[in-house]
Amino acid sequence: GAGVSQSPRYKVAKRGQDVALRCDPISGHVSLFWYQQALGQGPEFLTYFQNEAQLDKSGLPSDRFFAERPEGSVSTLKIQRTQQEDSAVYLCASSLAGREFNEQFFGPGTRLTVL
Amino acid sequence: GQQLNQSPQSMFIQEGEDVSMNCTSSSIFNTWLWYKQDPGEGPVLLIALYKAGELTSNGRLTAQFGITRKDSFLNISASIPSDVGIYFCAGRVNTGNQFYFGTGTSLTVIP
């Protein structure tokens, strides 16, 4: 498809496990964002990539969270030693540059549940 | 961080009615965006606003960038059942990469 895809759609982890969430942005989109959305809340910014460069990671809640985009396309968000408070939907979005930087296309999200 | 408050938190309206919702910020933004999110899906961009005072329409939707740059408004005319969902505002300052999202307005349309 032509949209942003994310996998897995659902992930259940035991507390302490590591998880990896994948995002396939729209082809040609240089900008890629990760957001965390808690139940009943709006998305909260985690990190931003321009191509392969991670230009802003100020939203990552702890050093257990790590994101990469090594070839400037697919991105992975990794959470180490998951905690119950990490349970949320993780959304990926991509956009072009210039004014269209603002016009983000979101994926369906990965719902993470930590038991 | 930036706080964006949306009101009302939820709305229950009859099909055919018009809807108004707003978003206020504690800080000035240079870009305002309105999204709609359906259950189990990511937000979908409805309208983008780039200039204070700007009024932009997308079909039955009309949004305005407040003059103070600290608020924005979304109106939906003649609501239909498929308008059901959660509406989020988002704002950005030009010097940053972060988009700050509001708390959301849940819309229910009663046929």
Side-chain angles (χ1 to χ4, degrees):
Chain A
V4 178
S5 60
Q6 292 186 244
S7 61
R9 289 294 310 273
Y10 303 91
K11 177 69 178 178
V12 178
K14 291 183 180 178
R15 190 176 58 172
Q17 283 185 332
D18 298 348
V19 298
L21 312 180
R22 177 187 169 106
C23 172
D24 284 82
I26 293 173
S27 178
H29 278 196
V30 300
S31 304
L32 186 145
F33 304 81
W34 283 99
Y35 292 87
Q36 181 189 60
Q37 187 174 25
L39 189 64
Q41 302 294 317
E44 286 199 18
F45 172 85
L46 293 177
T47 187
Y48 160 66
F49 289 86
Q50 184 180 81
N51 296 306
E52 69 278 5
Q54 189 175 20
L55 298 186
D56 190 341
K57 54 181 180 180
S58 61
L60 296 176
S62 77
D63 58 7
R64 296 186 296 103
F65 287 69
F66 173 76
E68 59 184 6
R69 193 186 185 196
E71 297 178 358
S73 55
V74 171
S75 178
T76 304
L77 176 67
K78 298 179 180 178
I79 309 174
Q80 298 177 325
R81 304 181 304 280
T82 52
Q83 303 294 316
Q84 285 188 321
E85 61 262 30
D86 299 336
S87 296
V89 174
Y90 290 85
L91 295 165
C92 175
S94 70
S95 65
L96 294 167
R99 171 172 273 201
E100 289 158 318
F101 171 85
N102 296 299
E103 297 169 15
Q104 299 177 51
F105 293 82
F106 280 82
T110 294
R111 181 176 296 276
L112 173 65
T113 303
V114 181
L115 303 176
Chain B
Q2 313 287 3
Q3 295 280 337
L4 271 68
N5 296 307
Q6 286 186 245
S7 65
Q9 187 174 11
S10 62
M11 304 181 73
F12 294 81
I13 62 168
Q14 293 285 341
E15 183 177 357
E17 288 184 352
D18 296 345
V19 172
S20 291
M21 61 186 78
N22 69 75
C23 183
T24 58
S25 166
S26 57
S27 302
I28 289 174
F29 287 123
N30 302 109
T31 301
W32 281 96
L33 306 158
W34 283 93
Y35 287 87
K36 178 175 181 279
Q37 187 173 28
D38 292 329
E41 300 295 329
V44 174
L45 182 65
L46 301 173
I47 293 179
L49 302 159
Y50 297 104
K51 187 176 178 182
E54 179 181 355
L55 189 70
T56 297
S57 293
N58 178 7
R60 294 178 296 106
L61 277 63
T62 301
Q64 183 162 25
F65 192 137
I67 292 292
T68 66
R69 296 191 183 177
K70 290 186 176 183
D71 54 11
S72 181
F73 309 89
L74 177 69
N75 295 314
I76 305 172
S77 63
S79 58
I80 59 178
S82 62
D83 290 335
V84 166
I86 301 178
Y87 291 79
F88 289 102
C89 62
R92 173 179 170 253
V93 295
N94 282 350
T95 54
N97 302 307
Q98 293 196 25
F99 293 80
Y100 299 91
F101 280 75
T103 48
T105 293
S106 175
L107 177 63
T108 301
V109 179
I110 303 167

